[in-house]
Amino acid sequence: MQGLYAARLARHDLLRPVLRLAANVTTWDEQCDKKLHRLMRYIASTPKKRLVGWCGDSISECSPHAYADPDLAGCERTMKSTTGSSLIMEGPNTRFPVAGRSCRQSCTACSSTEAELVACHFTYKNVLIPTFEIWDAFLPEGWHSYLHGDNQAMNRVIQTGRNPTMRHLPRVHRINIAWLHERLGNPLTKDPVDIIDTSTDFMAADIYTKAFNDPEKWAHAKQLINIVPIDQLHYLIDNHSLAA
């Protein structure tokens, strides 16, 4: 529970492994012991990793960016996918993390596009929409936000509102494609949100869904959510290494 508290408060790089272990409390085995031992060693060896943010622009130059990304059947036991969500306030010289989420999807997805739609729906409905009142109060009139995804098929479904191959979504995942089209795709009724097709290399929600074996890719994923060594912070800001 201490690890979960730290992960939610200030170490978003710990969210996925902590929640994975928490979901296995009732089915604990020897492999979970090894994962827990490795997690505790990682926490003990990274005390200088901090969640940071900076603002170097006027409020009119900043806008909220939400990132949504899933894995497909990431849980070996249930074969359910994981949804990752990240909300960051961005500008030319601003990058301030607001929220990070990693949670297991309620039902098994049959394709990557299906998992992407579930992640997009969750991120938009539960992460981005609740902040609209804040942006209305602080951002200038006519503000705009952005929802990043890395699946072109998902973006096409939302833009057209047509999804003949996944008619089971409303019953299985309780996702209404018509609602997503109305709020994100239809120019006449859409909210002030633009969907952006984002490369996996700049997908800030990747760290909430996937495991990394390459140290360089892991370091890059942490930088995308502003988890950096505190002694290297000034160097990273000066070189815009965190800008996506």
Side-chain angles (χ1 to χ4, degrees):
M1 293 306 297
Q2 291 179 347
L4 178 59
Y5 178 78
R8 294 180 61 190
L9 184 65
R11 286 294 301 272
H12 291 172
D13 56 323
L14 304 177
L15 279 174
R16 180 184 177 274
V18 169
L19 295 177
R20 276 293 185 88
L21 288 172
N24 291 326
V25 167
T26 59
T27 57
W28 199 267
D29 55 16
E30 184 179 353
Q31 191 67 23
C32 294
D33 284 329
K34 295 179 180 179
K35 292 179 179 179
L36 177 60
H37 179 65
R38 184 173 184 179
L39 175 61
M40 293 298 108
R41 291 184 62 183
Y42 172 73
I43 294 175
S45 64
T46 56
K48 293 185 178 180
K49 301 288 185 182
R50 306 290 173 85
L51 177 65
V52 301
W54 59 87
C55 299
D57 304 294
S58 65
I59 194 67
S60 61
E61 298 179 283
C62 300
S63 55
H65 290 249
Y67 296 81
D69 188 61
D71 64 353
L72 179 62
C75 178
E76 300 85 354
R77 181 169 57 85
T78 64
M79 300 306 292
K80 292 180 180 178
S81 304
T82 303
T83 292
S85 307
S86 181
L87 180 60
I88 303 174
M89 180 63 73
E90 297 183 16
N93 300 288
T94 298
R95 191 172 179 86
F96 198 94
V98 179
R101 293 288 299 272
S102 177
C103 58
R104 184 178 296 174
Q105 296 182 3
S106 58
C107 300
T108 303
C110 299
S111 65
S112 297
T113 303
E114 182 177 337
E116 291 276 357
L117 282 167
V118 175
C120 176
H121 180 272
F122 177 88
T123 302
Y124 176 64
K125 179 175 178 287
N126 298 311
V127 178
L128 190 56
I129 284 183
T131 63
F132 279 2
E133 291 187 2
I134 299 176
W135 310 138
D136 286 336
F138 288 98
L139 295 180
E141 185 177 353
W143 63 269
H144 228 70
S145 58
Y146 302 90
L147 180 60
H148 297 258
D150 59 2
N151 188 287
Q152 294 181 354
M154 177 203 71
N155 296 343
R156 183 62 178 169
V157 168
I158 295 175
Q159 293 294 337
T160 62
R162 298 178 181 177
N163 189 24
T165 62
M166 289 183 280
R167 295 176 181 174
H168 58 280
L169 281 177
R171 285 182 172 270
V172 177
H173 294 284
R174 297 184 180 274
I175 291 177
N176 193 321
I177 297 298
W179 182 80
L180 283 175
H181 172 66
E182 178 185 350
R183 301 299 294 265
L184 295 173
N186 190 340
L188 301 178
T189 60
K190 70 188 298 289
D191 290 332
V193 181
D194 288 338
I195 299 180
I196 298 179
D197 185 21
T198 301
S199 168
T200 302
D201 294 335
F202 299 109
M203 175 51 66
D206 242 8
I207 196 170
Y208 302 126
T209 62
K210 298 177 178 63
F212 293 84
N213 295 323
D214 187 335
E216 293 185 1
K217 291 184 178 180
W218 173 247
H220 177 67
K222 288 190 296 182
Q223 289 183 8
L224 289 177
I225 60 169
N226 285 39
I227 298 290
V228 298
I230 196 65
D231 54 350
Q232 299 180 17
L233 178 59
H234 294 296
Y235 171 79
L236 293 171
I237 295 176
D238 292 341
N239 290 274
H240 302 287
S241 300
L242 304 183

